[in-house]
Every structure is written in C-alpha cells, then in structure tokens.
C-alpha cells in the first residue's frame, strides 16, 4: 500500500486502509455496506440511461452496454461492477485496497463474470495508454488526496466520444448533518470516520474541474433517501448526494 501512495498519486493511504479493513463485508447486504446496496439501483439506472443515450442503445435491453469498455474507479468489492458487466460492458475495476480486489475477484468468479480487477490507480492506467468508452468514479472523489489531479486523470481516461460519470457528496451544512452526523453517528449506517466533510466537493467545483479537462457537462441529479419506504431515488435536491455526467467530443 505504501508504494501506491507515491508522489503524484491521488491516493490517500488512510482512506485505503479504512476500506481495506472493511473488505470482507462488501457483499453483506446487512453489513457496513448495506446503504450502498440500497443506493446501487439509482446509480446503475443513471449510468445505463446516460450511456444508452450517448451510444444509441436501448436502455430496456438486457445487454444495453454490450461491447462498451468501462472502468469502475474505486470499485471496492465490485457491487457496481458486476451489474454493469451483466449489461454487457467490458469492465475493468480499479481499487488501491488489495483486500477489496481480492473480494471482488472471488465474487465475480463465483458469479461467472469476467471482470478485470486490478489493485491499480487510474493514473497508472492512463500512463499505460488505456482509454475507455465509460469512466466511472462513484463515491470516490470525497476520499482522494488531490481532487483536481484525480479529475484530470479520470477525464484523460475517456475515449473520444466517451463519457464520464461521477458521484459524490456536496459540501453543505445539510450534508454534514445527514451524511456524517446522521449516517455515521445516529443511524450508524456507516462506520464513524468514513467521511471527512472538508473533503466534500460542491457540484460547481466538480463541474468546473471536469470542464477544465475538455469534457462537456451533461446530466446531473441529486439522490435522496425516503425513510418511509427505505429507498433511494433520483431527485432535484443535490444538497447531499449527487451525480454528474459529462462527455468528450467524438
């Protein structure tokens, strides 16, 4: 792990260690990652719909992403990578926590899915010349050491005509109350210390960083939780969780 926290890397070693320690719980729907499992359908729908619009695909097709290359940055245990692979995407999953990659690889093999999981950074893949139709950084931005450098690397990985989707947490008083006090201390959805409010990024900041790297902003949406139904859904409210999509000219 220390080798990956080299000069020029956007990896935060403390964040890597925190998620590495939780690696075995990724696929437990009632464990520390329970909220992510409930959140997943909204993320998947947003990615699928924007990709289908961009590449002229049918979002109702079971193979809507067939043949498209996709990199899932900060893939964790593969909770999002697997359903994207089932939609036909050729998925590469990246995570600096080797424990996460081991769990993700074992689960994919058990599920009969061919996913290229790597304990590697997006900067390293870009340096190798790799480019993708779809680049994802979902719930990662708030954990990196250098947001601008990380966004630059993500944008560099997007092929001409390709797209970028990012999801993160807004830096507002509301997000502090709900995402940290509420989620970590009151409801205990997440282990204490999972998030640092100072690392949260506003939509304007993230959008500006994306545009500075040559991509055009597209769809955006907030994601909110309904305590009555226990479900997450897309919404106009971007005060806490939000997702942005952007594309590179072909």
């Amino acid at each position: 792990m220390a080798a990956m926290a080299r000069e020029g890397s956007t990896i935060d070693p403390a964040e890597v260690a925190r998620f590495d320690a939780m690696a075995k719980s990724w696929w437990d729907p009632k464990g520390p990652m329970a909220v992510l499992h409930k959140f997943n359908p909204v993320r998947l729908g947003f990615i699928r719909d924007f990709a289908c619009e961009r590449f002229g695909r049918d979002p109702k097709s079971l193979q809507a992403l067939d043949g498209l290359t996709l990199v899932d940055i900060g893939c964790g245990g593969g909770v999002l990578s697997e359903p994207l692979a089932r939609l036909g995407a050729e998925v590469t999953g990246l995570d600096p926590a080797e424990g996460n990659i081991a769990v993700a690889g074992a689960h994919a093999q058990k599920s009969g899915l061919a996913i290229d999981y790597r304990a590697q950074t997006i900067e390293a893949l870009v340096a190798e010349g790799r480019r993708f139709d779809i680049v994802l950084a979902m719930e990662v931005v708030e954990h990196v050491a250098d947001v601008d450098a990380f966004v630059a690397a993500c944008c560099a990985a997007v092929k001409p005509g390709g797209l970028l989707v990012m999801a993160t947490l807004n830096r507002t008083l509301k997000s502090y109350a709900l995402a940290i006090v509420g989620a970590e201390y009151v409801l205990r959805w997440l282990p204490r210390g999972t998030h640092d409010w100072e690392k949260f990024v506003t939509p304007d900041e993230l959008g500006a960083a994306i545009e500075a790297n040559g991509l055009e902003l597209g769809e955006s949406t907030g994601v909110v939780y309904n305590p009555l139904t226990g479900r997450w859904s897309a919404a106009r409210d971007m005060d806490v969780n939000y997702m942005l999509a952007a594309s590179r000219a072909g």
Side-chain angles (χ1 to χ4, degrees):
M1 287 302 123
M4 303 197 73
R6 61 189 179 279
E7 184 178 357
S9 172
T10 59
I11 297 300
D12 184 329
E15 296 281 6
V16 174
R18 181 178 297 113
F19 283 97
D20 207 10
M22 296 188 289
K24 293 182 180 179
S25 64
W26 274 102
W27 287 96
D28 180 359
K30 295 182 179 180
M33 302 300 177
V35 66
L36 196 59
H37 285 268
K38 292 183 178 180
F39 197 75
N40 220 32
V42 183
R43 302 193 302 172
L44 182 63
F46 184 77
I47 296 164
R48 179 202 60 211
D49 292 350
F50 189 69
C52 286
E53 179 182 346
R54 182 69 179 172
F55 297 106
R57 305 296 182 87
D58 179 3
K60 296 181 180 179
S61 171
L62 295 178
Q63 290 289 297
L65 305 183
D66 185 42
L68 295 175
T69 57
L70 181 153
V71 61
D72 183 10
I73 304 166
C75 64
V79 172
L80 182 59
S81 296
E82 288 201 9
L84 290 166
R86 289 192 180 95
L87 286 174
E90 299 173 10
V91 179
T92 298
L94 304 181
D95 202 291
E98 294 182 4
N100 288 346
I101 291 299
V103 168
H107 197 276
Q109 184 176 23
K110 183 179 178 180
S111 302
L113 295 170
I115 299 175
D116 181 14
Y117 284 118
R118 302 180 178 204
Q120 199 171 13
T121 65
I122 187 60
E123 295 95 334
L125 237 59
V126 167
E128 293 174 6
R130 295 286 303 276
R131 301 295 184 268
F132 301 85
D133 295 310
I134 304 170
V135 175
L136 306 180
M138 313 299 284
E139 289 74 48
V140 179
V141 175
E142 68 271 24
H143 299 291
V144 302
D146 185 331
V147 172
D148 288 339
F150 177 71
V151 172
C154 291
C155 291
V158 180
K159 283 183 178 180
L163 63 89
L164 169 71
V165 181
M166 308 186 91
T168 190
L169 287 154
N170 198 349
R171 192 176 64 256
T172 62
L173 291 177
K174 187 175 178 180
S175 70
Y176 184 85
L178 296 180
I180 295 183
V181 177
E184 296 184 17
Y185 289 84
V186 179
L187 298 174
R188 297 186 180 180
W189 282 348
L190 300 168
R192 293 181 180 182
T194 298
H195 291 115
D196 178 352
W197 185 80
E198 296 290 342
K199 286 187 171 184
F200 290 3
V201 182
T202 71
D204 286 346
E205 291 168 345
L206 186 57
I210 292 170
E211 289 182 322
N213 285 281
L215 272 65
E216 180 180 354
L217 290 175
E219 298 291 324
S220 63
T221 184
V223 185
V224 299
Y225 178 72
N226 186 330
L228 298 178
T229 62
R231 294 181 180 179
W232 293 84
S233 61
R236 293 182 181 179
D237 183 355
M238 297 173 65
D239 288 346
V240 185
N241 296 87
Y242 68 93
M243 296 186 286
L244 296 180
S247 58
R248 184 181 295 283

